[in-house]
Amino acid sequence: MSDLGKKHDRISHREMKEDVLVTRAFQSLDWVQRNLRTVAIAVGAVVIAALVTMWISKAQAKAEGDANRILAEASANYWQGGYNRTIQLADQVLDGYKTTRAANDARRMKADALFWSGSFDSAATLYQEFLSHERADSPIKAAVQQSLAAALESKRDFAGAAKLYEELAPGAPDRNATADLYMSAARAYRNANQADKAKALYEKVANEYKETTFARDAEVMIGELMAGAAAPAK
């Protein structure tokens, strides 16, 4: 085949490809024209969905901002000892901003205020609600669990407090904090009339955490428990 023939053949192939593309373009345009109402509705739905999503995001961001401003005031009152005002402001967030992330922080803050106001039962309930809403890897989860244990102990649920203190001990940030939690668990077990469990934990601290500030206290408590066990019944 001559060069001219080859060139003509290449042009023919290109023209065929262009014809196919043009044909498809016209077919697509024809389909859109025939289904204009459907296309318009679909496009409109996408636009509306995008606008609604944007509006919800902005509304949520505004709600979070408003809720956090209220919590900031609640926090300031808490650290100044204004527990009643802290509770009022926390309730304002819980009532008006239920869907925000700040709502769970309001539960914790209200629980803290209730605890220091002496309402241990209500504080324990709110700590439990906070923990049920908080993610498992939350950096403050352990601290709130410790607050819950203190609330349980304060409302005389000694067995529940002891169990929680003991569960928290291995995850404490250092050995001194671990020993402290074991001592708290032992104290609660003793108050729950479970002297054997209390003695086992005091011995654990005395023997395994000798370098901590709690080892000597643990030895003293072991002596008290043994003296109590040796005393004749009246």
Side-chain angles (χ1 to χ4, degrees):
M1 182 182 294
S2 66
D3 292 340
L4 184 59
K6 291 180 181 179
K7 183 177 180 181
H8 177 75
D9 188 52
R10 286 197 298 270
I11 292 172
S12 297
H13 283 298
R14 187 173 68 240
E15 287 175 345
M16 287 174 64
K17 290 179 181 179
E18 289 174 352
D19 285 345
V20 171
L21 292 173
V22 170
T23 300
R24 288 179 179 173
F26 275 111
Q27 287 175 342
S28 300
L29 181 59
D30 181 59
W31 183 90
V32 169
Q33 289 174 339
R34 284 187 287 106
N35 296 274
L36 188 58
R37 177 178 172 79
T38 303
V39 172
I41 292 173
V43 172
V46 171
V47 172
I48 290 171
L51 290 173
V52 168
T53 301
M54 187 188 311
W55 179 82
I56 291 174
S57 297
K58 287 184 177 180
Q60 187 71 16
K62 183 180 184 303
E64 291 286 354
D66 292 343
N68 281 314
R69 279 190 286 274
I70 297 171
L71 280 184
E73 183 182 348
S75 180
N77 277 271
Y78 173 80
W79 290 110
Q80 293 171 11
Y83 302 129
N84 288 337
R85 181 57 178 161
T86 299
I87 292 168
Q88 291 173 356
L89 291 167
D91 281 338
Q92 189 175 333
V93 174
L94 288 168
D95 292 339
Y97 302 91
K98 295 179 181 179
T99 62
T100 65
R101 290 187 296 274
N104 211 30
D105 288 331
R107 288 187 184 93
R108 175 186 53 78
M109 198 174 294
K110 181 180 178 180
D112 287 343
L114 286 167
F115 179 90
W116 292 110
S117 299
S119 299
F120 305 120
D121 194 48
S122 297
T125 298
L126 271 178
Y127 284 134
Q128 289 166 334
E129 287 182 12
F130 171 87
L131 291 168
S132 71
H133 286 83
E134 193 70 358
R135 67 181 194 273
D137 61 345
S138 170
I140 66 169
K141 184 176 180 180
V144 176
Q145 287 175 314
Q146 191 168 341
S147 295
L148 171 58
L152 292 173
E153 185 177 10
S154 297
K155 78 185 193 79
R156 306 185 69 79
D157 180 1
F158 298 120
K163 182 175 183 294
L164 188 50
Y165 281 133
E166 190 173 5
E167 288 174 353
L168 289 169
D174 55 61
R175 287 177 59 80
N176 209 60
T178 297
D180 187 11
L181 285 167
Y182 280 134
M183 291 291 287
S184 296
R187 178 184 66 241
Y189 275 129
R190 187 178 182 184
N191 287 327
N193 296 317
Q194 298 184 48
D196 289 344
K197 288 186 176 181
K199 184 171 179 289
L201 287 179
Y202 285 134
E203 289 174 343
K204 184 179 184 67
V205 173
N207 296 328
E208 298 179 22
Y209 296 85
K210 292 181 179 181
E211 81 283 6
T212 69
T213 58
F214 297 97
R216 177 57 184 162
D217 292 338
E219 291 174 353
V220 171
M221 297 309 298
I222 292 168
E224 288 187 7
L225 285 172
M226 293 178 67
K234 295 183 180 180

